[in-house]
């Protein structure tokens, strides 16, 4: 419980940007590698607010002190009963699919994501999504507003705002028609984000016409905003990272700008063949102006405290105070590692995990190690039945040995009464396994991982007798 309390405090103070300050940010979603994105690799762009909340999915208001902010986004079509240009959802709903971050799923599948979507539709969207098509279509993109991390990794590039700026934004969007005019070339999701950000800070975000062939791309927009924020230290620029939830949904891929995709993607080899004379210019443009790594941005600007320490470091350098400078730089490294983790920390966790997995096999909890865990994850995704309880927490049911067992899927209910310990243990093992084998950009933050690790230790069966008692 102490770990859960720590996690909740982290969300309030670090991720959700408490009410003592307010922020706006560009949400950069990785590419799903489906449909047109398989060719463009463009990903998706949206806007985060810490002080603006939904009055409804299509109206804005200032947040109450206990609220966490929101994400506003537009899509090709939201698929709702009216052709709205944008929807806004609470931040935790957009990121995890749940209102309370402690109910975030530790494991996901299309069935689990669908359960989260339907719970949101029933509780929030009913007045806007009553038609059969809106309710049932998998192409209705209001679903993208629910549990984005089920499908992909995302970053939020954040700067501070004033209450006057937030009120002006609310007035602008509440008074303007919310009617969809999406156009992939001139009015796409990145263009929408650009217009919102530039309402706060004129010319802070712009397209990269050279690298994106005249269009606005999510990554190009994020790069321009990061460059602007680097030159405005008073804006407390920092980056928040949310890894894709482990499970059976295909892993997202890094989003790319146009010349980057042309240079790096095999899917565009036919284009390269017919446009070989332009390739040197495209490659030169990419290397000179298009290289931008959101993971590096996160690692270098992981918290607001780092920004404050950077200012103190600058002052210590100006005063040639070597002793103070060394302490400040050590504090900055510690602050960063507390969120990102060091490679040694991750390596140590991998070694401990292998020992725990081997012990689980020896105790009879699992028939074998990695292969059995992969089979379990696949079976949970394909045969499991998901639902959301009255508290908004997701559950998974599975048939096992002629009986039905269920387990909570979140930090809040994984070990709750009625949650099968054997099933819960394997679900959190699958989560840990995915995090430890993933590249840095697809790993969750160290505080989030440590919550999952603590839950795994608590769910871990004591030995063979316990495993037999649980029917495992």
């Amino acid at each position: 419980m102490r770990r859960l309390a720590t996690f909740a405090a982290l969300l309030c103070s670090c991720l959700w940007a408490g009410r003592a300050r307010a922020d706006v940010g560009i949400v950069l979603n990785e590419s799903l590698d489906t449909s047109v994105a398989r060719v463009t690799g463009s990903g998706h762009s949206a806007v985060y607010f810490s002080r603006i909340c939904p009055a409804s999915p299509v109206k804005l208001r200032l947040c109450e002190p206990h609220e966490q902010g929101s994400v506003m986004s537009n899509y090709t079509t939201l698929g709702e009963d009216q052709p709205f240009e944008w929807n806004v959802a609470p931040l935790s709903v957009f990121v995890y699919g749940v209102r309370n971050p402690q109910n975030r799923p530790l494991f996901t599948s299309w069935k689990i994501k669908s359960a989260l979507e339907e719970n949101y539709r029933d509780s929030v969207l009913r007045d806007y999504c009553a038609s059969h098509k809106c309710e049932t279509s998998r192409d209705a993109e209001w679903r993208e507003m629910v549990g984005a991390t089920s499908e992909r990794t995302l970053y939020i590039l954040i700067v501070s705002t004033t209450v006057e700026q937030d009120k002006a934004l609310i007035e602008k969007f509440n008074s303007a028609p919310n009617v969809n005019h999406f156009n992939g070339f001139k009015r796409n999701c990145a263009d929408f984000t650009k217009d919102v950000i530039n309402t706060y800070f004129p010319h802070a975000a712009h397209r990269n016409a050279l690298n994106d062939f005249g269009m606005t791309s999510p990554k190009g927009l994020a790069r321009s905003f990061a460059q602007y924020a680097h030159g405005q230290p008073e804006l407390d620029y920092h980056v928040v990272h949310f890894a894709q939830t482990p499970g059976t949904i295909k892993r997202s891929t890094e989003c790319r700008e146009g010349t980057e995709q042309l240079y790096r993607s095999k899917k565009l080899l036919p284009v390269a063949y017919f446009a070989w004379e332009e390739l040197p210019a495209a490659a030169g443009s990419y290397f000179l102006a298009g290289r931008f790594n959101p993971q590096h941005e996160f690692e270098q600007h992981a918290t607001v405290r780092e920004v404050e320490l950077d200012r103190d470091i600058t002052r210590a350098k100006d005063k040639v105070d070597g002793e103070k400078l060394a302490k400040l730089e050590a504090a900055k490294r510690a602050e960063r590692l507390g969120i990102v983790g060091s490679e040694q920390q991750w390596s140590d966790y991998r070694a401990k995990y292998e020992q725990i997995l081997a012990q689980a096999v020896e105790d009879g909890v699992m028939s074998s190690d990695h292969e059995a865990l992969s089979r379990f994850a696949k079976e949970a995704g394909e045969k499991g039945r998901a639902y959301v309880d009255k508290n908004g927490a997701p559950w998974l049911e599975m048939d096992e040995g002629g009986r039905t067992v269920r387990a909570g899927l979140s930090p809040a209910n994984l070990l709750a009464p009625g949650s099968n310990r054997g099933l819960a243990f394997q679900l959190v093992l699958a989560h840990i396994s995915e995090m430890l084998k993933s590249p840095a950009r697809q790993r969750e933050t160290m505080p989030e991982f440590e919550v999952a690790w603590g839950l795994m230790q608590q769910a871990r069966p004591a030995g063979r007798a316990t495993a037999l008692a649980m029917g495992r």
Side-chain angles (χ1 to χ4, degrees):
M1 294 304 296
R2 183 185 303 171
R3 287 182 179 273
L4 288 179
T6 300
F7 180 56
L10 171 77
L11 292 179
C12 292
S13 65
C14 180
L15 300 183
W16 307 138
R19 295 278 70 80
R21 51 174 290 119
D23 307 301
V24 66
I26 288 181
V27 182
L28 180 62
N29 293 1
E30 287 198 337
S31 174
L32 296 180
D33 198 29
T34 59
S35 187
V36 177
R38 296 194 61 160
V39 177
T40 65
S42 58
H44 181 70
S45 184
V47 186
Y48 158 68
F49 308 105
S50 73
R51 187 160 39 199
I52 297 176
C53 286
S56 76
V58 295
K59 291 292 181 181
L60 307 174
R61 62 172 173 81
L62 289 177
C63 296
E64 298 295 331
H66 65 281
E67 293 180 292
Q68 61 192 224
S70 64
V71 171
M72 173 195 274
S73 185
N74 81 327
Y75 298 89
T76 305
T77 172
L78 285 156
E80 295 164 341
D81 300 342
Q82 297 181 51
F84 294 115
E85 180 180 31
W86 54 267
N87 269 192
V88 60
L91 177 62
S92 190
V93 170
F94 181 86
V95 174
Y96 297 129
V98 295
R99 284 190 170 275
N100 182 346
Q102 290 194 38
N103 286 335
R104 67 185 180 103
L106 296 167
F107 179 90
T108 195
S109 67
W110 285 120
K111 291 181 180 180
I112 295 168
K113 188 176 190 303
S114 292
L116 298 172
E117 292 167 359
E118 297 314 312
N119 181 68
Y120 179 72
R121 187 188 64 78
D122 289 343
S123 60
V124 177
L125 278 188
R126 182 167 293 279
D127 292 340
Y128 307 90
C129 185
S131 68
H132 179 74
K133 183 177 181 181
C134 182
E135 289 182 354
T136 60
S137 174
R138 302 311 305 172
D139 294 328
E141 291 180 308
W142 64 262
R143 299 179 184 278
E144 299 295 316
M145 299 291 292
V146 184
T149 54
S150 291
E151 298 181 274
R152 49 185 159 193
T153 289
L154 60 91
Y155 299 86
I156 309 181
L157 287 66
I158 299 171
V159 297
S160 60
T161 65
T162 66
V163 67
E164 290 78 18
Q165 287 174 308
D166 290 329
K167 287 180 177 179
L169 191 284
I170 292 171
E171 172 62 26
K172 174 181 177 178
F173 278 86
N174 281 353
S175 61
N178 187 350
V179 180
N180 188 31
H181 298 287
F182 190 97
N183 180 289
F185 289 93
K186 298 298 181 183
R187 293 178 66 99
N188 61 33
C189 64
D191 289 305
F192 178 83
T193 298
K194 172 173 63 68
D195 291 344
V196 175
I197 293 297
N198 288 341
T199 299
Y200 282 93
F201 307 102
H203 313 298
H206 54 82
R207 64 177 179 165
N208 186 332
L210 186 61
N211 278 297
D212 288 315
F213 309 115
M215 295 184 289
T216 309
S217 75
K219 188 174 182 181
L221 190 72
R223 182 181 62 82
S224 71
F225 185 57
Q227 289 178 337
Y228 172 83
H230 290 162
Q232 309 290 329
E234 72 278 4
L235 294 181
D236 290 340
Y237 170 68
H238 60 289
V239 181
V240 173
H241 170 253
F242 297 96
Q244 184 175 354
T245 306
T248 57
I249 297 177
K250 184 179 179 181
R251 301 291 93 182
S252 62
T253 58
E254 295 177 82
C255 52
R256 295 172 178 171
E257 294 185 69
T259 53
E260 180 182 12
Q261 181 74 342
L262 184 64
Y263 182 78
R264 296 176 61 184
S265 176
K266 294 180 180 179
K267 298 182 182 74
L268 292 185
L269 284 178
V271 177
Y273 176 79
F274 289 107
W276 64 271
E277 291 181 344
E278 285 73 31
L279 276 180
S285 175
Y286 164 56
F287 280 109
L288 289 174
R291 304 183 78 177
F292 170 74
N293 189 321
Q295 177 63 23
H296 291 170
E297 285 292 305
F298 164 62
E299 291 174 357
Q300 294 167 13
H301 308 279
T303 70
V304 175
R305 177 60 180 154
E306 281 190 77
V307 178
E308 296 168 349
L309 287 168
D310 274 333
R311 287 197 282 262
D312 292 339
I313 286 171
T314 299
R315 285 192 286 267
K317 287 180 178 178
D318 290 342
K319 295 179 179 180
V320 196
D321 189 340
E323 182 178 352
K324 186 173 183 179
L325 178 62
K327 290 180 179 179
L328 289 169
E329 289 178 337
K332 182 181 176 181
R333 285 192 297 271
E335 180 73 17
R336 180 179 303 167
L337 292 178
I339 300 297
V340 178
S342 68
E343 283 307 312
Q344 185 60 53
Q345 283 177 294
W346 290 109
S347 179
D348 290 344
Y349 272 119
R350 290 186 194 100
K352 293 176 184 177
Y353 171 78
E354 291 298 330
Q355 294 174 357
I356 290 171
L357 196 58
Q359 188 64 52
V361 173
E362 183 179 333
D363 289 343
V365 177
M366 300 173 61
S367 58
S368 61
D369 46 22
H370 295 284
E371 291 184 6
L373 196 57
S374 295
R375 288 195 301 271
F376 163 77
K378 183 178 180 180
E379 183 178 352
E382 293 177 352
K383 299 180 181 180
R385 299 178 297 276
Y387 68 94
V388 178
D389 68 19
K390 63 181 181 180
N391 297 317
W395 291 78
L396 184 72
E397 288 184 342
M398 294 185 68
D399 294 327
E400 186 177 273
R403 65 191 180 114
T404 298
V405 296
R406 69 169 190 160
L409 286 166
S410 72
N413 68 348
L414 186 82
L415 304 175
S419 181
N420 180 275
R421 286 298 179 95
L423 180 56
F425 180 59
Q426 291 192 75
L427 285 169
V428 75
L429 268 184
H431 177 102
I432 296 290
S433 175
E434 184 68 35
M435 287 296 105
L436 291 178
K437 70 182 181 183
S438 293
R441 53 170 260 275
Q442 291 187 326
R443 285 198 302 250
E444 60 192 352
T445 63
M446 183 57 73
E448 289 175 302
F449 178 80
E450 288 177 339
V451 168
W453 185 269
L455 289 166
M456 178 193 67
Q457 295 282 44
Q458 293 177 63
R460 182 179 176 184
R464 181 178 295 273
T466 304
L468 292 173
M470 293 189 299
R472 305 302 299 174

